[in-house]
């Protein structure tokens, strides 16, 4: 039976937020911005093709690096240079690299993002119970995630937000979770880690020695290849089930205190 946590570490995509419809790999607004940025030195059709291919290449890189012992994130400028603009004329590459961070923000941001059902209720109940909350997320641009949580009225509930592009480590590197636990002043062994993937989130929780590894199902969970060596302590569907799971442990803790 799960013990009540002293803090929660939560993934962003698939736990706090989902995008019901997938974002196109080459968003038109981003393509237009790049075309203007390079002053037409690269045809707009090539820009669209290179951004689409870059998205696929970066996704493959993420999968490959995730199988290493201590994966780390790439700088924004390197993502654009290695995966998108490597064949462009030098002045165009230089222009993109100068704007790499703001371009990464635009590439990351999704108009389709929606807070997952039950998440506001679960976060508020945890906060009311005195549990510090932290975001622990792999992302190309954490600033986009941070701004979305602020726009959704949730950011005030988090004591810390740790994103791979800002902190350096990428899950399943346990350092990302350990940094978050240290920032909120709670030993990792007293934290629940909630994520939607076995290979990144549950593996990260286990490597960091979190108190519990909770798998919240998302579309990405169903697409993930099997990881027979990784078993979460609990499986839940959404924020409502997270809240129910927390309440059960709170009830168990109260009953134990009386005996």
């Amino acid at each position: 039976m799960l013990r009540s946590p002293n803090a929660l570490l939560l993934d962003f995509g698939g736990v706090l937020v989902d995008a019901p419809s997938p974002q196109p790999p080459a968003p038109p607004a981003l393509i237009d911005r790049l075309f203007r940025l390079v002053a037409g030195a690269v045809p707009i059709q090539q820009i669209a093709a290179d951004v689409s291919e870059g998205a696929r290449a970066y996704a493959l890189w993420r999968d490959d690096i995730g199988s290493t012992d201590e994966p780390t994130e790439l700088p924004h400028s390197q993502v654009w240079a290695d995966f998108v603009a490597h064949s462009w004329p030098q002045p165009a590459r230089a222009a993109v690299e100068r704007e790499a961070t703001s371009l990464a923000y635009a590439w990351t941001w999704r108009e389709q993002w929606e807070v997952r059902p039950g998440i506001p209720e679960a976060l508020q109940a945890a906060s009311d119970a005195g549990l510090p909350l932290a975001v622990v997320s792999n992302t190309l641009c954490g600033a986009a995630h941070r701004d979305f949580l602020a726009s959704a009225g949730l950011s005030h509930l988090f004591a810390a937000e740790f994103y791979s592009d800002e902190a350096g480590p990428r899950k399943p590197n346990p350092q990302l979770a350990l940094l978050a636990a240290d920032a909120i002043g709670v030993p990792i062994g007293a934290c629940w880690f909630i994520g939607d993937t076995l290979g990144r989130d549950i593996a990260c929780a286990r490597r960091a020695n979190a108190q519990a590894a909770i798998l919240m199902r998302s579309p990405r969970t169903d697409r993930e290849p099997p990881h027979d060596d990784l078993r979460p302590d609990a499986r839940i569907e959404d924020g409502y089930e997270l809240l129910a799971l927390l309440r059960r442990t709170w009830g168990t803790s109260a009953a134990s205190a009386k005996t």
Side-chain angles (χ1 to χ4, degrees), residues 101-102 133 220 229 233 255:
T101 294
S102 63
L133 311 176
R220 185 164 47 190
D229 58 327
D233 295 296

Side-chain angles (χ1 to χ4, degrees), residues 30-245:
L30 177 60
I31 303 309
D32 289 342
R33 180 178 171 183
L34 284 165
F35 185 67
R36 293 193 302 273
L37 182 64
V38 302
V42 182
I44 196 165
Q45 296 87 350
Q46 182 182 342
I47 293 174
D50 288 345
V51 171
S52 293
E53 179 54 36
R56 287 189 288 270
Y58 179 60
L60 289 172
W61 173 85
R62 292 195 311 252
D63 290 342
D64 288 343
I65 199 72
S67 65
T68 62
D69 289 338
E70 295 183 346
T72 56
E73 189 60 78
L74 295 175
H76 298 150
S77 59
Q78 188 175 350
V79 171
W80 287 100
D82 289 358
F83 298 115
V84 177
H86 52 86
S87 66
W88 296 4
Q90 195 281 328
R93 293 199 310 272
V96 168
E97 289 186 36
R98 284 194 298 270
E99 298 294 324
T101 294
S102 63
L103 289 169
Y105 184 107
W107 206 7
T108 301
W109 180 271
R110 297 190 180 190
E111 295 296 335
Q112 304 96 330
W113 273 337
E114 293 181 3
V115 177
R116 291 203 64 181
I119 283 297
E121 294 84 350
L123 297 181
Q124 189 64 61
S127 181
D128 290 346
L131 274 62
L133 311 176
V135 181
V136 180
S137 175
N138 289 347
T139 180
L140 177 61
C141 187
H145 291 193
R146 187 177 285 106
D147 286 352
F148 177 82
L149 292 175
S151 70
L154 297 176
S155 59
H156 70 285
L157 296 171
F158 292 99
E161 299 179 44
F162 276 80
Y163 299 106
S164 60
D165 71 308
E166 299 170 353
R170 279 185 58 88
K171 297 176 294 184
N173 189 331
Q175 284 302 314
L176 196 61
L178 293 169
L179 287 169
D182 184 63
I184 61 177
V186 178
I188 190 69
C191 297
W192 282 11
F193 190 110
I194 301 100
D196 69 323
T197 63
L198 290 167
R200 293 177 188 169
D201 296 310
I202 303 306
C204 180
R206 295 300 187 217
R207 293 182 188 181
N209 293 315
Q211 178 184 325
I214 313 298
L215 185 69
M216 183 183 291
R217 185 182 178 191
S218 79
R220 185 164 47 190
T221 313
D222 296 336
R223 296 193 301 267
E224 189 179 18
H227 293 271
D228 296 333
D229 58 327
L230 293 169
R231 296 182 181 276
D233 295 296
R235 295 175 182 264
I236 55 178
E237 292 291 323
D238 54 23
Y240 292 116
E241 291 196 5
L242 173 60
L243 178 54
L245 189 63

